[in-house]
Structures are given as structure tokens and as C-alpha cells.
Amino acid sequence: MSASNKDNIPKKLIKTPLKNGFYYNRRPNNKVDFSNLQTFPKSFSPHDNFLWIKEFVFYKNGIRVCVFHDVAINLEKTIIMIGKFEVEPKYLLELKRRNGGRDSLVALANEVKKTIDSVNQIQFKITLKPWTYSSTIIDNTLVRAETKRDSFKYTLLLAEKKRDLLNKINANGVFLDKDNNSDSFIVSAKWLKKDW
């Protein structure tokens, strides 16, 4: 028997390593290395003076938990800004888990603390825009907005959930406000390193 012949290894002994941590959404085998981010071309970045990550996913024991969108780090590597994060529908509806958002944010803070010691705060500026004839998940239940009024109501509820989550992780200056120029809601906060 050849030791190098993989066909001689019983299949039940071959284990696929479970993903844990943060991986690029469009390159799911590539882990995000927060300590070695590259600057993006100006045309791809809304902020010229930031390192920008469009999307990445937090995995826990091989399960997709949460997707982060529009995450930026200033060039001095002292502030991380998060534009959007959302727990995966399957995690909420099929697995019936309720702490995906909190677990993902805590894991992100721990990863940042480990890889970029100079970061002293994580800032949130999350815009939630109402969409009629769309579905969303509230309290592990799928709801559909059939009218503009429904959409406005569900968007406000989602914004309140984000606000409550940021309060639970001890973020500072948590603020929920309606955008003056649209029906969108904005949730903002600063999460200082001493509270991670």
C-alpha cells in the first residue's frame, strides 16, 4: 500500500476543515487579512483615503453567519467604518439562531484587535432604505412589505433592531434618525476599543 495514494484512505477519515473567521464573499477560499489590506483604485472607492473592502463573510463552524458590506479602514489604521452588515437568512430562518449579529461583531472586534493593534474604534453608519414588494426578516420571521406603509414600518423595525444591538455591545453615541432627504433611516455609533 502506497502511503501517498489518497485512494487508500478510508473516506470517513477525510475531513474538510470547517471555515471559521472572515472570508471574502467573492473569493470564499481567501481569508481576509486585515493587517495586509491593499488600497483600491479611486474609481472603486467612495473614500480616497481609506482601505476599502466591498464584502466579506463571517463563518462559524463552517456556517455563513453574517455578511459585511462597505467596510473601510483609514490609512492611519486607527478607525474602521462599517456601512452595512446583515445576518444570513438561513442562519435566522433554518437554524433559528438569534445572536448572529452580536457574535459577528464581537468576532470582528477580536480579529481587528489581534491583527491591527493601532485601531482604537469601530464606527457604524448604517443606512436602511425602505423597499416596497420586498421581504425581510424580523425576529426570525420572514415578512413581506406589500405597501409603502408596510415597507416604512419594517424598515423602522430593522433600524431599531440595529440600534438595540449596538447598545448591547456597549457602543457609544448610538443614534437612530430619519434621513431628511428620503424615507431611509440611519443608525450610527462609535464602538471604542476599551469596550470590545
Coordinates of all heavy atoms in Angstrom, one line a residue, residues 122-164:
I122 N -14.4 51.3 16.2 CA -15.2 50.8 15.0 C -16.4 51.8 15.0 O -17.1 51.9 15.9 CB -15.6 49.4 15.2 CG1 -14.4 48.4 15.2 CG2 -16.5 49.0 14.0 CD1 -14.7 47.0 15.5
Q123 N -16.5 52.4 13.8 CA -17.7 53.3 13.6 C -18.7 52.7 12.8 O -18.4 51.9 11.8 CB -17.2 54.6 13.0 CG -16.3 55.4 13.9 CD -15.9 56.8 13.2 OE1 -16.4 57.1 12.1 NE2 -15.0 57.5 13.9
F124 N -20.0 53.0 13.1 CA -21.1 52.4 12.3 C -21.9 53.6 11.7 O -22.2 54.6 12.4 CB -22.0 51.6 13.2 CG -21.4 50.4 13.8 CD1 -20.7 50.6 15.0 CD2 -21.5 49.2 13.2 CE1 -20.2 49.5 15.6 CE2 -20.9 48.1 13.8 CZ -20.2 48.2 15.0
K125 N -22.1 53.5 10.4 CA -23.1 54.5 9.8 C -23.9 53.6 8.8 O -23.5 53.4 7.6 CB -22.4 55.6 9.1 CG -23.4 56.7 8.6 CD -22.8 57.9 8.1 CE -23.9 59.0 7.7 NZ -23.3 60.2 7.2
I126 N -25.0 53.1 9.3 CA -25.8 52.1 8.5 C -27.1 52.8 8.0 O -27.9 53.3 8.8 CB -26.1 50.9 9.4 CG1 -24.9 50.3 10.0 CG2 -27.0 49.9 8.7 CD1 -25.1 49.4 11.2
T127 N -27.3 52.8 6.7 CA -28.5 53.3 6.1 C -29.4 52.2 5.7 O -29.0 51.3 5.0 CB -28.1 54.2 4.9 OG1 -27.2 55.2 5.3 CG2 -29.3 54.8 4.3
L128 N -30.6 52.3 6.2 CA -31.7 51.3 5.8 C -32.7 52.0 5.0 O -33.4 52.9 5.5 CB -32.3 50.7 7.1 CG -31.3 49.9 7.9 CD1 -30.8 50.7 9.1 CD2 -31.9 48.6 8.4
K129 N -32.9 51.5 3.8 CA -33.8 52.1 2.8 C -35.1 51.3 2.6 O -34.9 50.1 2.4 CB -33.1 52.4 1.5 CG -33.9 53.1 0.5 CD -33.1 53.3 -0.8 CE -33.9 54.0 -1.9 NZ -33.1 54.2 -3.1
P130 N -36.3 51.8 2.7 CA -37.5 51.0 2.5 C -37.6 50.6 1.1 O -37.3 51.3 0.2 CB -38.6 52.0 2.9 CG -38.0 53.1 3.6 CD -36.6 53.2 3.1
W131 N -38.0 49.3 0.9 CA -38.3 48.8 -0.4 C -39.7 48.1 -0.4 O -39.9 47.2 0.3 CB -37.2 47.8 -0.8 CG -35.9 48.4 -1.1 CD1 -34.8 48.4 -0.3 CD2 -35.5 49.0 -2.3 NE1 -33.8 49.0 -0.8 CE2 -34.1 49.4 -2.1 CE3 -36.1 49.3 -3.5 CZ2 -33.4 50.1 -3.0 CZ3 -35.3 50.0 -4.5 CH2 -34.0 50.4 -4.2
T132 N -40.6 48.6 -1.2 CA -41.9 48.0 -1.3 C -41.8 46.7 -2.2 O -40.9 46.6 -3.0 CB -42.9 49.0 -2.0 OG1 -42.8 50.2 -1.3 CG2 -44.3 48.5 -1.9
Y133 N -42.7 45.8 -1.9 CA -42.7 44.4 -2.5 C -41.4 43.7 -2.3 O -40.9 43.0 -3.2 CB -43.0 44.6 -4.0 CG -44.3 45.3 -4.3 CD1 -44.2 46.5 -5.0 CD2 -45.5 44.8 -3.9 CE1 -45.4 47.2 -5.3 CE2 -46.7 45.5 -4.1 CZ -46.6 46.7 -4.8 OH -47.8 47.3 -5.1
S134 N -40.8 43.8 -1.1 CA -39.6 43.1 -0.8 C -39.9 42.4 0.6 O -40.7 42.7 1.3 CB -38.4 44.0 -0.7 OG -38.6 44.9 0.3
S135 N -39.0 41.4 0.8 CA -39.1 40.6 2.1 C -37.9 40.9 2.9 O -36.8 41.2 2.4 CB -39.2 39.1 1.7 OG -40.3 38.8 1.0
T136 N -38.1 40.8 4.2 CA -37.1 40.9 5.2 C -37.4 40.0 6.4 O -38.4 39.4 6.5 CB -36.9 42.4 5.6 OG1 -35.7 42.5 6.3 CG2 -38.1 42.9 6.5
I137 N -36.4 39.9 7.3 CA -36.6 39.0 8.4 C -36.5 39.8 9.7 O -35.6 40.6 9.9 CB -35.5 37.9 8.4 CG1 -35.5 37.1 7.2 CG2 -35.6 37.0 9.7 CD1 -34.3 36.2 6.9
I138 N -37.6 39.7 10.5 CA -37.7 40.4 11.8 C -38.0 39.3 12.8 O -39.0 38.6 12.7 CB -38.7 41.5 11.7 CG1 -38.3 42.6 10.7 CG2 -38.8 42.1 13.1 CD1 -39.3 43.7 10.5
D139 N -37.2 39.3 13.9 CA -37.4 38.3 14.9 C -37.6 36.9 14.4 O -38.5 36.1 14.7 CB -38.7 38.7 15.8 CG -38.4 39.9 16.6 OD1 -37.3 40.2 17.0 OD2 -39.4 40.7 16.9
N140 N -36.6 36.5 13.5 CA -36.6 35.2 12.9 C -37.9 34.8 12.1 O -38.2 33.6 12.0 CB -36.4 34.1 14.0 CG -35.0 34.2 14.5 OD1 -34.4 35.2 14.6 ND2 -34.4 33.0 14.9
T141 N -38.6 35.8 11.7 CA -39.8 35.6 10.9 C -39.7 36.4 9.6 O -39.3 37.6 9.6 CB -41.1 36.1 11.6 OG1 -41.1 35.4 12.9 CG2 -42.3 35.8 10.8
L142 N -40.0 35.7 8.5 CA -40.0 36.4 7.2 C -41.2 37.2 7.0 O -42.3 36.7 7.1 CB -39.9 35.3 6.0 CG -39.6 35.9 4.6 CD1 -38.3 36.5 4.5 CD2 -39.8 34.7 3.6
V143 N -41.1 38.5 6.7 CA -42.2 39.4 6.5 C -42.1 40.0 5.1 O -40.9 40.3 4.6 CB -42.3 40.4 7.6 CG1 -42.7 39.8 8.9 CG2 -41.1 41.3 7.7
R144 N -43.2 40.3 4.5 CA -43.1 40.9 3.1 C -43.9 42.3 3.2 O -45.0 42.3 3.7 CB -43.8 40.0 2.1 CG -43.8 40.5 0.7 CD -44.2 39.5 -0.3 NE -44.4 40.1 -1.6 CZ -43.5 40.4 -2.5 NH1 -42.2 40.1 -2.2 NH2 -43.7 40.9 -3.7
A145 N -43.3 43.3 2.6 CA -43.9 44.6 2.6 C -44.7 44.7 1.3 O -44.1 44.8 0.2 CB -42.8 45.7 2.6
E146 N -46.0 44.7 1.4 CA -46.8 44.8 0.2 C -47.2 46.3 -0.1 O -47.6 46.6 -1.2 CB -48.1 44.0 0.4 CG -47.9 42.5 0.6 CD -47.5 41.8 -0.7 OE1 -47.5 42.5 -1.7 OE2 -47.1 40.7 -0.6
T147 N -47.0 47.2 0.9 CA -47.4 48.6 0.6 C -46.2 49.4 1.1 O -45.3 49.0 1.8 CB -48.6 49.0 1.4 OG1 -48.3 48.9 2.8 CG2 -49.8 48.1 1.1
K148 N -46.2 50.7 0.7 CA -45.2 51.6 1.1 C -45.2 51.8 2.6 O -44.2 51.9 3.3 CB -45.4 53.0 0.4 CG -44.3 54.0 0.7 CD -44.5 55.2 -0.1 CE -43.4 56.2 0.1 NZ -43.5 57.5 -0.6
R149 N -46.4 51.8 3.2 CA -46.6 51.9 4.7 C -45.9 50.7 5.4 O -45.2 50.9 6.4 CB -48.0 52.0 5.0 CG -48.3 52.2 6.5 CD -49.7 52.4 6.8 NE -50.0 52.6 8.2 CZ -51.2 52.9 8.7 NH1 -52.2 53.0 7.9 NH2 -51.3 53.0 10.0
D150 N -46.2 49.5 4.9 CA -45.5 48.3 5.4 C -44.0 48.4 5.3 O -43.3 48.1 6.3 CB -45.9 47.0 4.6 CG -47.4 46.6 5.0 OD1 -47.9 47.1 6.0 OD2 -47.9 45.8 4.2
S151 N -43.5 48.8 4.2 CA -42.1 48.9 4.0 C -41.5 49.9 5.0 O -40.4 49.6 5.5 CB -41.8 49.4 2.5 OG -40.4 49.4 2.3
F152 N -42.1 51.0 5.2 CA -41.6 52.0 6.1 C -41.6 51.4 7.5 O -40.6 51.6 8.3 CB -42.5 53.3 6.0 CG -42.0 54.4 6.8 CD1 -41.1 55.3 6.2 CD2 -42.4 54.7 8.1 CE1 -40.6 56.4 6.9 CE2 -41.9 55.8 8.8 CZ -41.0 56.6 8.2
K153 N -42.7 50.7 7.9 CA -42.8 50.2 9.2 C -41.7 49.1 9.5 O -41.0 49.1 10.5 CB -44.2 49.5 9.4 CG -44.4 48.8 10.8 CD -45.7 48.2 10.9 CE -45.8 46.9 10.1 NZ -47.1 46.2 10.3
Y154 N -41.5 48.2 8.5 CA -40.5 47.1 8.7 C -39.1 47.7 8.7 O -38.2 47.2 9.4 CB -40.6 46.1 7.6 CG -41.9 45.3 7.7 CD1 -42.6 44.9 6.5 CD2 -42.4 44.9 8.9 CE1 -43.8 44.1 6.6 CE2 -43.6 44.2 9.0 CZ -44.3 43.8 7.9 OH -45.4 43.1 8.0
T155 N -38.8 48.7 7.9 CA -37.5 49.3 7.8 C -37.2 50.0 9.2 O -36.1 49.9 9.7 CB -37.4 50.4 6.7 OG1 -37.7 49.7 5.5 CG2 -36.0 50.9 6.6
L156 N -38.2 50.7 9.7 CA -38.0 51.3 11.1 C -37.7 50.2 12.1 O -36.8 50.4 13.0 CB -39.2 52.1 11.4 CG -39.2 52.7 12.9 CD1 -38.0 53.6 13.0 CD2 -40.5 53.5 13.1
L157 N -38.5 49.1 12.0 CA -38.2 48.0 13.0 C -36.8 47.4 12.9 O -36.1 47.2 13.9 CB -39.2 46.8 12.8 CG -40.6 47.0 13.4 CD1 -41.6 46.0 12.9 CD2 -40.6 47.0 14.9
L158 N -36.3 47.3 11.6 CA -35.0 46.8 11.4 C -33.9 47.8 12.0 O -33.0 47.4 12.6 CB -34.7 46.6 9.9 CG -35.3 45.3 9.3 CD1 -35.0 45.3 7.8 CD2 -34.6 44.1 9.9
A159 N -34.2 49.1 11.7 CA -33.3 50.1 12.3 C -33.3 50.1 13.8 O -32.2 50.2 14.4 CB -33.7 51.5 11.8
E160 N -34.4 49.8 14.4 CA -34.5 49.7 15.9 C -33.7 48.5 16.4 O -33.0 48.6 17.4 CB -35.9 49.7 16.3 CG -36.6 51.0 16.1 CD -38.1 51.0 16.4 OE1 -38.7 49.9 16.5 OE2 -38.7 52.1 16.6
K161 N -33.8 47.4 15.6 CA -33.0 46.2 16.0 C -31.5 46.5 15.9 O -30.8 46.0 16.8 CB -33.4 45.0 15.0 CG -34.8 44.6 15.2 CD -35.0 43.8 16.4 CE -36.4 43.3 16.5 NZ -36.7 42.6 17.8
K162 N -31.1 47.2 14.9 CA -29.7 47.5 14.7 C -29.2 48.4 15.9 O -28.2 48.2 16.5 CB -29.4 48.2 13.4 CG -29.6 47.4 12.2 CD -28.6 46.5 11.9 CE -28.8 45.8 10.5 NZ -28.0 44.6 10.3
R163 N -30.1 49.4 16.2 CA -29.8 50.3 17.3 C -29.6 49.5 18.6 O -28.7 49.7 19.4 CB -30.9 51.3 17.4 CG -30.7 52.3 18.6 CD -32.0 53.0 19.0 NE -33.0 52.0 19.4 CZ -34.3 52.3 19.4 NH1 -34.8 53.5 19.1 NH2 -35.2 51.3 19.8
D164 N -30.6 48.6 18.9 CA -30.6 47.8 20.1 C -29.3 46.9 20.2 O -28.8 46.8 21.3 CB -31.8 47.0 20.2 CG -33.1 47.8 20.4 OD1 -33.0 49.0 20.7 OD2 -34.2 47.3 20.2

